[in-house]
Amino acid sequence: MKRLILSTVMTFFIIDIARLPRAIAQATSHTVETRKASGAPSIVPVLKHPMLRNRHTHLAPPPTPAENIIVKIHRRRSADGVTGLQPGGGLIKPETAAKSVSTVSRDFIQKQSPAQNPLQLVELLPGVVVGSADPFGLTGGTISIRGLDQSEMAMTWEGAPATDIGIYTIDTSEFASNEDLEDVSVQQGSPNSDTPTINGSGGLVSFRDRDPSRKMGGLVALGYGSFNYHREFARFDTGEIGHSGIRTYVSYANQRDNAWRGPGHDSIWNLDWKAIKEWGANNRISLVGAYRHSIENTWPSMTMTDWKTYGRSFTWDRRYAFGSEGENYWRLNRNPYDNMLLSAPSHFTLTDRWHVDFTPYFWHGEGNNSTGAFVNNTNGNFLGNEPLTPVLTLPYAQPASDGTENAMTLMAYRNIQYRGGFTAKTDYRIGNHHDVYLGWWFDYSNDHDSAVLSPVNYNGTPLDIFGTTDNIKLSDGQLLAYQNISTITTVNALFAGDHATFLKGKLVMDAGIKLAMINRNGTNELPGPQYKVVLNDFQPLPALSMRYQFNKRHQIFASVSTSFRSPSTPTLYDAYYGQGISYQGVKNPKDEYSISEEIGYRYNGPILVASATYFHYNFTNRQIQSAVTGTNGGVTVDLNAGGQNSNGVSVELGTRPINHFRPYLSGQYLHATIDNNISGLPTAGMTAVRSPRWTGALGVDWDNGTFFWNYNIRYVSHQYSTLINDEYMPAYYDMNAAIGARLPSYGPLKSSTIQVNFINLTNNHYLSGIQTVTTNATTTHGVTGTAPDYLVAPGLAVIATLKAGF
């Protein structure tokens, strides 16, 4: 693998040099526009092709040119924003940050299936491992970066935090439709000092929507594909309203598809909007929003034994049968959720040296992960740690042989959360070298989590899939619940720093510190020894980074950062999954804390864009999130994996168009080990879970403006799913492809595009992600083993999409 990466880099550098004269000839062979000017009779070519920008200084022009030759490349305009010119097919762009960053732009996003969620769009980037459960990106999945999962990543959407404040998860399709995304950026190492996060050890993933068009118009898209997939999308741009400087758009998307394996279907619709007001010298106010309603499939937890025995046929039951086996009926295992996000990122220029950024935001989510629960009205019922003696009133009950009654119910792991806050930042330019900044992030959330029972009729259909109607109660009117916790979380974070530039801008240095203060104040409403829960957390987080630009092509960067992950909400509470306390809350949980270092090199040439980064992490109290088996991901716990060290190298490179081709290549080597023994097991020196040693991806894009196709393949080596390394998820590869054409305008429809996407092109059968991590899979050293659970990768799907502007 090392030899392959080295030889590939050398090959692209040779191409970069060898093709330059030919590229100049090709660029100047396009239609040109000549503007004559008085003066000497010489001709000076001013090359406007992106590959050749800033190269005219090497052509030794005379001091007084007679005419300028402006090269114009004529391409059929794309209604979805694809230019066909971004390096690597839109998978890489020149970066200037003083730490590792990779960005996916519209050139790549708009050629993917519109159904794919935003996390699937970054799965080819170095160090990113995405596990999908369905071809449409709706039913969850997993993501890790450099071996750190999504519960350790900061995720922001339009400047606002996008993860659940309690358990740090994200519903991957809960915000903007892909048609409205401008780009997705992955900062692999650590978040910035002003990033609104309390769980950023694993880096930062940020999503940004497109701006409204300056002209009135819009986009419509229709899709149809495998598993009865269909999707409708429409967007309307107002253009600038009068001369107010205000422009906006609103879009609507509706999607429905059948489960790709077994029974069930997904149904989702979402409404997105964005408005901006611009005035003066760099002043801007935005209002961005997204509302989404969905009812999605879930998938049963699958152990390695299940996978080897049943393969893809391991799924929910298509028909309902009364009794405990009825818990596997598909209608009882769904994920309904409603959510709304609002953000208003704004920038104000007070003077030519003084600027202010202010981003208020609001998030509301309500829904559940559900499963079937077969209960008896008398036997074995508990409320908290107290056995219940009164007889339950169970709707749709049937008599049992012992004279009691049984009923099937819907067990809904419900979450209701309201969250709001803001980030405020001001920066001031001192002299010619220092730009100092000061800021405050405030966040307040009210989060209620419960596990309640609601009626199911005789044919197995729940009366209310959200689990809010006619919840089962005790004879005294008290709610029967297996979880009932409320948590108010308040975050105050102050940050300050200096962005300094020296040597005429070639050397840039950033030094900053963030002081994060977190208070969790909660109650456990279930009977038991625990009622009040309080957590006060404080972390100072210094960071230092630098970048040196040798010239327009060569750049080096280095950074040292500290990050942390505050304990998640479930860590604090006693949990009751059976009789008595099955999981005891941690009274004084410890933060995950990390120190990370990076050093890297970037190249930005006329043909090749490339970067290489060495990274190192040192963790204490590494927190590993794991779903509780049987809850369909509705309940999670954290495992304290102690200390960990990680070292690795990542590379990525892509070219600007070469005969309409734009290849991209990425790869990573990762060596992550546990430092100490855990739970009486000899885990010291073992490989960390979810940390594949080798990952790599290749993408090829060809686009001549009228026709286009692309192909990508990614490889992920095996990943351990237990801390003692006695079970692992095998290595896998995955291929995707697309082909399309841009059609002439017809009537009111402008720049129509038709494309066909192929997901899992070879229909490869593999496990795509680790859902449940355990200490050991088999009994060893006197510790009983528990089998981990996995996600099954989706099969082949073909999706056709027709898009047109107006």
Side-chain angles (χ1 to χ4, degrees), residues 597 614-617 645-649 668-673:
E597 301 95 21
Y614 165 78
F615 57 88
H616 171 259
Y617 294 86
N645 264 280
S646 300
N647 290 275
V649 177
Q668 177 179 278
Y669 168 79
L670 173 65
H671 181 66
T673 56

Side-chain angles (χ1 to χ4, degrees), residues 447-521:
D447 189 7
H448 182 241
D449 297 291
S450 61
V452 296
L453 303 178
S454 59
V456 172
N457 65 25
Y458 292 118
N459 66 6
T461 303
L463 271 61
D464 176 18
I465 195 171
F466 277 83
T468 60
T469 303
D470 299 324
N471 293 130
I472 295 173
K473 299 180 179 179
L474 308 182
S475 56
D476 61 1
Q478 191 174 1
L479 183 68
L480 177 61
Y482 294 89
Q483 182 187 55
N484 194 0
I485 60 178
S486 296
T487 310
I488 292 176
T489 302
T490 306
V491 180
N492 284 279
L494 303 177
F495 53 90
D498 181 16
H499 177 80
T501 57
F502 304 99
L503 304 177
K504 297 181 179 180
K506 287 186 175 183
L507 176 63
V508 177
M509 302 185 68
D510 285 281
I513 188 170
K514 179 179 183 178
L515 304 176
M517 295 157 281
I518 303 101
N519 172 262
R520 293 196 193 270
N521 197 320

Side-chain angles (χ1 to χ4, degrees), residues 655-711:
T655 75
R656 293 182 168 90
I658 304 173
N659 293 329
H660 309 304
F661 280 97
R662 294 178 296 165
Y664 171 84
L665 180 69
S666 71
Q668 177 179 278
Y669 168 79
L670 173 65
H671 181 66
T673 56
I674 301 172
D675 293 342
N676 49 270
N677 295 332
I678 301 169
S679 300
L681 295 171
T683 57
M686 298 294 180
T687 299
V689 297
R690 297 187 178 120
S691 301
R693 181 152 296 189
W694 295 102
T695 58
L698 170 68
V700 180
D701 180 273
W702 184 91
D703 190 336
N704 71 352
T706 301
F707 300 101
F708 62 88
W709 62 264
N710 60 65
Y711 164 85

Side-chain angles (χ1 to χ4, degrees), residues 779-791:
T779 300
T780 181
H781 292 81
V783 179
T784 302
T786 303
D789 293 333
Y790 304 91
L791 297 178

Side-chain angles (χ1 to χ4, degrees), residues 19 26 59 106 144 163 462 536 682 741:
R19 288 189 176 271
Q26 289 177 344
L59 300 177
R106 290 179 67 82
S144 66
T163 53
N536 289 300

Side-chain angles (χ1 to χ4, degrees), residues 695-777:
T695 58
L698 170 68
V700 180
D701 180 273
W702 184 91
D703 190 336
N704 71 352
T706 301
F707 300 101
F708 62 88
W709 62 264
N710 60 65
Y711 164 85
N712 63 70
I713 180 173
R714 63 189 179 107
Y715 169 80
V716 179
S717 65
H718 73 267
Q719 305 173 59
Y720 286 105
S721 52
T722 64
L723 301 183
I724 202 169
N725 291 177
D726 62 347
E727 186 170 300
Y728 64 87
M729 191 182 81
Y732 67 86
Y733 74 89
D734 181 55
M735 296 183 189
N736 299 293
I739 187 171
R742 300 182 181 94
L743 310 176
S745 299
Y746 181 79
L749 300 181
K750 310 296 183 183
S751 306
S752 301
T753 300
I754 184 169
Q755 69 183 52
V756 180
N757 292 92
F758 302 88
I759 299 169
N760 192 357
L761 183 63
T762 60
N763 197 26
N764 186 24
H765 293 228
Y766 65 95
L767 296 173
S768 66
I770 302 170
Q771 188 173 36
T772 300
V773 171
T774 65
T775 56
N776 52 304

Side-chain angles (χ1 to χ4, degrees), residues 390-472:
V391 175
L392 300 177
T393 300
L394 300 175
Y396 302 97
Q398 297 186 24
S401 58
D402 60 359
T404 61
E405 291 184 338
N406 296 324
M408 180 61 68
T409 63
L410 181 78
M411 171 77 81
Y413 295 93
R414 288 183 46 75
N415 169 260
I416 304 174
Q417 185 174 154
Y418 295 88
R419 183 181 186 185
F422 63 83
T423 56
K425 176 183 175 182
T426 181
D427 64 273
Y428 189 82
R429 184 75 173 175
I430 299 176
N432 296 322
H433 300 293
H434 297 277
D435 192 351
V436 295
Y437 62 87
L438 178 67
W440 173 30
W441 169 43
F442 172 77
D443 187 280
Y444 175 89
S445 72
N446 191 328
D447 189 7
H448 182 241
D449 297 291
S450 61
V452 296
L453 303 178
S454 59
V456 172
N457 65 25
Y458 292 118
N459 66 6
T461 303
L463 271 61
D464 176 18
I465 195 171
F466 277 83
T468 60
T469 303
D470 299 324
N471 293 130
I472 295 173

Side-chain angles (χ1 to χ4, degrees), residues 375-383 386-389 392 482 578-579:
V375 298
N376 182 277
N377 68 343
T378 302
N379 300 325
N381 295 312
F382 276 71
L383 185 66
E386 297 179 357
L388 296 178
T389 54
L392 300 177
Y482 294 89
Q579 299 180 358

